[in-house]
């Protein structure tokens, strides 16, 4: 299975999003200045659709 976590985090950082804190389990909380919201990023994103949903919530228009 593919691991999209690193790709998602890199795309978020390139758009100005940044890590805030750790959440429950292997989740992380990131802040998106594009949307002005906190985004939950899973520590092990294995599905492409989940990666795209996370980027969409952050307001990042990139394909993985």
């Amino acid at each position: 299975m593919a691991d999209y976590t690193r790709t998602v985090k890199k795309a978020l950082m390139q758009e100005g999003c940044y890590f805030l804190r750790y959440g429950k389990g292997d989740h992380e909380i990131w802040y998106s200045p594009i949307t002005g919201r906190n985004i939950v990023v899973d520590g092990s994103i294995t599905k492409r659709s989940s990666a795209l949903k996370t980027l969409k919530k952050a307001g990042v228009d990139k394909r993985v």
Side-chain angles (χ1 to χ4, degrees):
M1 270 196 255
D3 184 27
Y4 292 99
T5 307
R6 183 175 287 179
T7 307
V8 168
K9 289 180 181 180
K10 185 176 179 180
L12 290 173
M13 285 189 284
Q14 287 175 347
E15 296 295 324
C17 301
Y18 55 90
F19 172 81
L20 286 177
R21 63 183 173 86
Y22 291 104
K24 290 189 173 191
D26 65 347
H27 291 77
E28 296 178 352
I29 310 299
W30 287 61
Y31 178 76
S32 171
I34 300 166
T35 61
R37 297 174 42 190
N38 292 341
I39 307 300
V40 178
V41 178
D42 191 356
S44 59
I45 302 172
T46 56
K47 294 182 181 178
R48 184 171 181 260
S49 61
S50 298
L52 293 174
K53 286 179 187 178
T54 302
L55 292 175
K56 185 175 181 178
K57 286 181 184 178
V60 177
D61 188 30
K62 289 199 176 184
R63 306 296 287 172
V64 291

